[in-house]
Amino acid sequence: MSSSGQSSSPETPQGVYHAPWEKAFARITSPLEEFIHSQATTGLLLMAMASLALVLANSGLADEYEAVKHLYAGFSIGSWDLRLSLQHWVNDGLMALFFFVVGLELKREMLVGELASPRQAILPIIAALGGMVVPALIYTAFNYGSAGALGWGVPMATDIAFAIGILVLLGDRIPRALVTFLIALAIVDDLGAVVVIALFYTENIAVSWLLPAALILGLLIILNLAGIRRTTPYFLLAVLLWYTLLQSGVHATLAGVLGAFTVPARAKYDPAVFSAHVKRLLVNFDTSYQQKQNIMLNSDLHAITQTLQNGILRVQPSLLRLEHAWHLPVAFLVIPVFALFNAGIPIAIGSLAEVLSHPVTLGVGAGLVVGKFVGITGASWLTLKLGLAQLPATVRFSQIAGVSLLGGIGFTMAIFIAELAFVQQPDVLLMAKTGILLASLAAGVSGLIWLYLCAPKAGTE
C-alpha cells in the first residue's frame, strides 16, 4: 500500500486515482461507447424507432400516438407567445440541430475533405446531381398535373446513416475509398436537399421578418471575421436566426445550415505555436510541482493547467469542436425522435393494393430505387468516360453501382421533404411515406446483396 492510500497495479498506475465505482462503470460503458460510435448503430436505432412508430400507428395505442404528436407546447412572456405541436417542435426545432451538423460537415468537406480538391470532388458531385435529377424526373412522370406533383423533391434525398451503416456491415469486403465516395456523395445530396427546401418548399414569405434575419446572419459573419471562437455567442444568435426564419415563412431548419457556415474553421494557434506553448507550460508545471502535493493546494499548478486547457481550445477549430460535440446527440437523439414522430403510418390491409398502386407511392418508390440507381451509376459512368475524373484505385465500377442502390435509402430527409410538400394533404402524405419506407427497404437489401456479391474473393487481389 502506498502512502497515498492507493495500490499500484497494471490497471491503476501510480499517480492515477479512481473514485470507488469509477473502474466498474468504465468496464460497463466502454464497450457501449465503442458500439454507438459506429454509423451502423445509427442505422439500427433508426430502424428500431421506425418499427416502433409503425407498431404504435397500427395498434390500440394509435389514437394516443396521434394525440401526443399533436400536443401543443411552448413559451409565453407577456404578450409574446410561441406554441407549436410536439411534431412541429421536432420537425422545425430539433431538426435544425440536424441541419446544423449537416452544415458543419459540408463546410469541413469543402475546406479540407473530399470536396476540397476539384479533381477528387468532381465524381461524387456529378454522381449526386444525377442521383437527384433522375429520381425527380421519374416521380414527375408518375404525378405530372396531379395533386401529388409537389412531391418531386421527396425521392431526391439519401439517408447517410442507413447507407453507411450497411457498408459498415460488409466490413473489410468494402474498400475504404468506396465509403469515402458514398460520404461525399451523401453530403452533396444533403446540400442539394437544403437548396430544394429553401427554394421550393417555403411557405408564404413575411418580408418584414427577413430583414432581422439578415441582420442576425450579418452579426454571425462579423463574429467570424472578428476572430470570436467562443461558441456561446454563435449559439444565441443562431437561436434568434431560427426564430426569425420561423416567423418569415422560410423553413426554420435552414438556420442550422446558415449558422454552421459562420462557425470559425481556423484555429487561433497552429500546431507549431501550440507545441512551443505546451512545452513552456510543462516546464513551469514541473518547476511548481512539489512531491505528493494536491493540485488544489497549489495555485500555480491550477493556473498552469487552466492555461493549458485554454491553449487546447485555441488549437482546435470551433468547427471541429462543435461537429464532435453535436454528432452523437443528433445521431442518437434527434434523428431517432424524428423517426418516431414521422414514420408511423396506418396500414389497412384491405386498401393496401390501392396504396401501392397510387401514383405518389409509385413515383417515390421508382424514384428512389430505379432513379437513384440509374442517376448515380449513369452520371458516374459518363464522368469517367469523358475523362473528367478517375475511379479510385481500389474501387470497381460495379461497386459504384452497388452504392447507387444504397442511395435509394431516402428515409430521414425524404420523410422531412414529404412533410413539407404534403403538409395540407394527409392522405397524399401517407402514400409518400409508404413509398419511402418500402423503397428504402428494397434499396437497402438489394444494395447489400449487390455489394456482397461484387466484393473480391480472398486471394483475388
Side-chain angles (χ1 to χ4, degrees):
M1 185 75 70
S2 69
S3 60
S4 63
Q6 291 284 330
S7 60
S8 179
S9 69
E11 292 80 16
T12 308
Q14 188 70 30
V16 177
Y17 307 101
H18 290 291
W21 293 351
E22 187 175 357
K23 290 170 69 177
F25 274 108
R27 285 196 297 271
I28 293 171
T29 57
S30 292
L32 177 62
E33 289 172 356
E34 292 178 3
F35 180 65
I36 66 175
H37 271 75
S38 70
Q39 285 287 350
T41 310
T42 311
L44 291 173
L45 188 55
L46 273 175
M47 192 180 300
M49 282 300 189
S51 300
L52 177 59
L54 286 170
V55 169
L56 290 174
N58 293 278
S59 69
L61 297 173
D63 291 340
E64 288 80 2
Y65 172 66
E66 288 297 322
V68 169
K69 290 198 299 182
H70 294 95
L71 185 66
Y72 273 74
F75 309 92
S76 294
I77 302 176
S79 60
W80 177 81
D81 182 71
L82 177 62
R83 297 178 64 81
L84 300 170
S85 69
L86 290 184
Q87 187 172 26
H88 276 109
W89 275 117
V90 170
N91 292 357
D92 291 351
L94 280 183
M95 286 299 284
L97 295 175
F98 167 76
F99 279 93
F100 178 70
V101 173
V102 167
L104 293 175
E105 292 174 345
L106 277 169
K107 185 171 182 177
R108 174 177 51 78
E109 286 294 321
M110 288 190 291
L111 290 175
V112 297
E114 290 299 311
L115 303 179
S117 165
R119 186 69 177 173
Q120 285 182 304
I122 192 68
L123 183 60
I125 287 175
I126 295 180
L129 290 174
M132 289 185 281
V133 172
V134 176
L137 292 175
I138 289 178
Y139 179 91
T140 302
F142 278 95
N143 292 276
Y144 183 76
S146 70
L150 190 58
W152 57 268
V154 174
M156 294 175 66
T158 295
D159 192 295
I160 189 171
F162 269 132
I164 296 297
I166 289 177
L167 283 186
V168 170
L169 293 177
L170 291 166
D172 294 337
R173 299 176 69 90
I174 295 300
R176 175 72 179 175
L178 187 66
V179 180
T180 304
F181 171 79
L182 178 57
I183 292 173
L185 183 147
I187 287 175
V188 176
D189 192 287
D190 283 343
L191 178 59
V194 169
V195 173
V196 167
I197 290 169
L199 296 180
F200 302 102
Y201 293 103
T202 295
E203 301 172 11
N204 295 327
I205 301 296
V207 179
S208 59
W209 282 98
L210 289 180
L211 179 58
L215 290 175
I216 294 169
L217 181 59
L219 286 175
L220 284 166
I221 295 172
I222 289 171
L223 289 181
N224 183 302
L225 296 176
I228 306 298
R229 291 176 175 84
R230 295 286 181 182
T231 56
T232 303
Y234 292 92
F235 173 77
L236 295 175
L237 286 173
V239 171
L240 291 176
L241 179 62
W242 174 85
Y243 178 73
T244 55
L245 289 181
L246 180 71
Q247 298 300 318
S248 73
V250 176
H251 204 272
T253 51
L254 297 179
V257 177
L258 294 174
F261 270 78
T262 65
V263 172
R266 201 178 189 94
K268 179 72 172 178
Y269 296 158
D270 67 23
V273 172
F274 175 70
S275 176
H277 180 67
V278 169
K279 288 173 183 175
R280 287 195 302 270
L281 288 174
L282 288 178
V283 170
N284 294 336
F285 186 92
D286 292 339
T287 302
S288 302
Y289 174 70
Q290 298 179 24
Q291 186 68 22
K292 299 179 183 177
Q293 187 178 47
N294 191 303
I295 195 171
M296 294 178 66
L297 301 176
N298 191 322
S299 59
D300 289 338
L301 287 184
H302 177 71
I304 292 169
T305 54
Q306 184 62 52
T307 305
L308 182 60
Q309 180 181 355
N310 293 337
I312 291 172
L313 291 178
R314 289 189 173 102
V315 78
Q316 293 177 311
S318 302
L319 180 72
L320 295 184
R321 285 194 286 117
L322 284 174
E323 187 178 355
H324 175 75
W326 283 105
H327 175 74
L328 287 182
V330 167
F332 300 108
L333 177 63
V334 173
I335 298 177
V337 169
F338 173 82
L340 181 62
F341 272 76
N342 292 280
I345 55 174
I347 300 173
I349 301 299
S351 60
L352 191 58
E354 180 183 349
V355 171
L356 295 179
S357 61
H358 194 279
V360 169
T361 309
L362 292 173
V364 170
L368 285 171
V369 178
V370 179
K372 282 289 186 180
F373 177 77
V374 173
I376 295 173
T377 305
S380 298
W381 178 85
L382 185 61
T383 303
L384 296 171
K385 196 72 173 176
L386 294 175
L388 300 176
Q390 289 183 333
L391 201 63
T394 57
V395 175
R396 300 177 176 183
F397 188 77
S398 60
Q399 293 173 322
I400 295 291
V403 163
S404 302
L405 285 171
L406 294 184
I409 305 175
F411 206 76
T412 306
M413 193 70 83
I415 291 177
F416 186 79
I417 295 176
E419 288 280 348
L420 298 178
F422 304 124
V423 65
Q424 304 295 338
Q425 299 172 275
D427 293 339
V428 180
L429 177 60
L430 174 63
M431 306 300 173
K433 288 185 177 181
T434 302
I436 292 167
L437 295 178
L438 293 177
S440 296
L441 178 62
V445 172
S446 59
L448 177 63
I449 294 173
W450 182 298
L451 288 169
Y452 181 84
L453 294 177
C454 287
K457 295 180 173 56
T460 60
E461 288 194 334

